[in-house]
Amino acid sequence: MPVQASSVESPVSLSITQRPRRLRRTGTLRRLVRENTLGVEDLIYPLFVTEGQDLEQEVPSMPGCYRYSLDRLLTEVHTVWQLGIGAIALFPLIDDHKKDNAGTESYNPQGLVPRAIKAIKEACPEILVIADVALDPYSSEGHDGIVANGQILNDETVAVLVKQALMQAEAGADFVAPSDMMDGRIGAIRRALDAEGWINVGILAYSAKYASAYYGPFRDALDSAPKFGDKKTYQMDGANGREALKEVALDICEGADMVMVKPALAYLDIICRIRSHTNLPVVAYNVSGEYAMVKAAAARGWIDEEKVVRETLISMKRAGADLILTYFAKDIAQQLHTKRIEF
């Protein structure tokens, strides 16, 4: 039955033809005209792997996230694959005695990461494995590059990153993901992969990675905090936007298949600008600090975690991200399996 008009005179002319609220009237109608959606196919799930057996160690600053020994990791991979998540990003916790300034463990063919990649691809061949390319988990100095006299060496680091990427490709990685922000590393890795016959191994470039305060919990998870100084001589200045477009352009010219913005939430404008700058897939990294803040506030009852997470992730899609690398991926996938997600 039509709603009866009020006897109170409306300040809006009754001849108005556009009433945007008509398209918000019911949940079904809102879903029908929704501009952006969040699906399980949009998600990449980051996983932490560690040595040992039967280990599932919760990261204190990241409730609900765990460091898994390889046997437990395979169970988690199978679970998320069954939920419809098609890609995982792998990050290792390396024993201190295996770390050195040159990051030599990063390209050890019998190391933790290649063993994990091989086991994952054997257990779940169709899931996409994205392997992080950087020295900080392997460095005794906690930096993404080789250190000399307090400086981070660029070209010497790139030579090691190439070895690391080749080792990961040999192990079965579908994508290598250079997260170090060394100049020229995308081109060097692409040339090396192609020369060795790994033409189908893709590169997900951390193209706009900022020197951010949002990375703290991740560094706790991998014990990879820098032992001195900060990372501002190689990661980007948070005040800069045009520089991100330059970095993206360089990475595309050097052979990147996808480009990433990290962090996501404080850099939605950068995602938007990059989206208008390239037709390549744009990835947003919903980083550890963003995750931890939501978890901390939800634990105190200050926010509705599910609703805040959905609103946060859809903001990244709205800004232009095609894919989202997020620690909430499993939670979102479970929600999608059990109920229709509402915003």
Side-chain angles (χ1 to χ4, degrees):
M1 177 179 296
V3 176
Q4 297 297 318
S6 169
S7 60
V8 178
E9 185 177 353
S10 171
V12 179
S13 168
L14 294 179
S15 64
I16 190 169
T17 57
Q18 289 297 320
R19 290 184 180 268
R21 286 184 58 190
R22 275 197 291 263
L23 299 182
R24 306 172 194 150
R25 188 169 52 85
T26 69
T28 301
L29 184 51
R30 290 191 295 274
R31 288 190 294 272
L32 184 68
V33 299
R34 185 162 289 153
E35 297 174 26
N36 294 281
T37 58
L38 181 66
V40 69
E41 66 277 2
D42 302 320
L43 305 174
I44 301 170
Y45 187 39
L47 285 168
F48 301 128
V49 62
T50 186
E51 297 283 7
Q53 288 287 324
D54 197 30
L55 295 179
E56 189 172 311
Q57 304 167 336
E58 188 170 38
V59 180
S61 55
M62 299 178 68
C65 288
Y66 300 86
R67 306 181 192 96
Y68 296 98
S69 56
L70 187 49
D71 52 337
R72 291 291 192 96
L73 183 78
L74 296 179
T75 300
E76 184 73 354
V77 168
H78 178 75
T79 297
V80 299
W81 173 253
Q82 292 301 114
L83 287 169
I85 293 174
I88 61 165
L90 199 59
F91 300 97
L93 173 65
I94 302 300
D95 293 341
D96 283 344
H97 73 274
K98 294 182 179 179
K99 296 181 180 183
D100 58 32
N101 183 37
T104 52
E105 182 65 17
S106 70
Y107 54 91
N108 176 6
Q110 282 76 49
L112 177 60
V113 168
R115 285 187 282 115
I117 294 171
K118 290 174 183 177
I120 292 167
K121 296 303 285 188
E122 182 176 345
C124 191
E126 292 186 55
I127 202 164
L128 296 174
V129 176
I130 301 170
D132 181 55
V133 179
L135 296 194
D136 54 326
Y138 307 91
S139 169
S140 55
E141 303 299 319
H143 275 282
D144 294 57
I146 297 171
V147 179
N149 300 317
Q151 303 296 314
I152 312 304
L153 304 181
N154 192 93
D155 296 1
E156 293 84 348
T157 297
V158 170
V160 178
L161 299 176
V162 167
K163 294 179 182 180
Q164 184 180 8
L166 286 172
M167 177 272 294
Q168 294 169 349
E170 177 71 33
D174 298 283
F175 281 84
V176 293
S179 63
D180 55 285
M181 291 300 289
M182 297 297 120
D183 293 337
R185 87 276 201 215
I186 302 300
I189 290 170
R190 184 72 271 165
R191 290 190 295 272
L193 289 171
D194 290 352
E196 294 295 321
W198 302 110
I199 60 173
N200 291 324
V201 174
I203 297 179
L204 166 56
Y206 285 60
S207 297
K209 182 177 180 179
Y210 286 85
S212 172
Y214 283 91
Y215 303 150
F218 177 92
R219 292 171 182 170
D220 289 343
L222 298 186
D223 188 24
S224 61
K227 297 297 189 292
F228 69 92
D230 53 40
K231 301 190 176 188
K232 292 181 179 180
T233 66
Y234 49 100
Q235 295 178 359
M236 288 176 54
D237 186 333
N240 292 357
R242 295 190 302 272
E243 185 182 9
L245 301 183
K246 177 172 70 174
E247 289 281 7
V248 166
L250 287 169
D251 285 354
I252 292 171
C253 287
E254 292 178 23
D257 297 285
M258 297 190 285
V259 295
M260 180 186 282
V261 177
K262 179 184 181 183
L265 195 54
Y267 298 88
L268 294 177
D269 61 314
I270 304 302
I271 296 172
C272 185
R273 292 171 73 172
I274 290 174
R275 170 73 289 152
S276 65
H277 188 69
T278 180
N279 290 321
L280 289 184
V282 176
V283 184
Y285 196 149
N286 179 213
V287 299
S288 61
E290 297 165 0
Y291 174 91
M293 289 191 301
V294 170
K295 285 290 187 179
R300 288 159 177 77
W302 295 342
I303 60 171
D304 183 316
E305 180 179 328
E306 285 192 10
K307 291 180 179 178
V308 167
V309 170
R310 294 195 295 266
E311 187 175 346
T312 298
L313 298 187
I314 203 66
S315 76
M316 298 169 194
K317 291 294 298 292
R318 190 178 65 246
D322 299 288
L323 302 169
I324 303 172
L325 200 160
T326 177
Y327 303 95
F328 290 113
K330 184 180 178 183
D331 293 344
I332 290 291
Q334 289 171 330
Q335 293 168 33
L336 286 165
H337 268 254
T338 58
K339 60 187 175 183
R340 190 189 301 273
I341 283 187
E342 282 292 348
F343 292 98

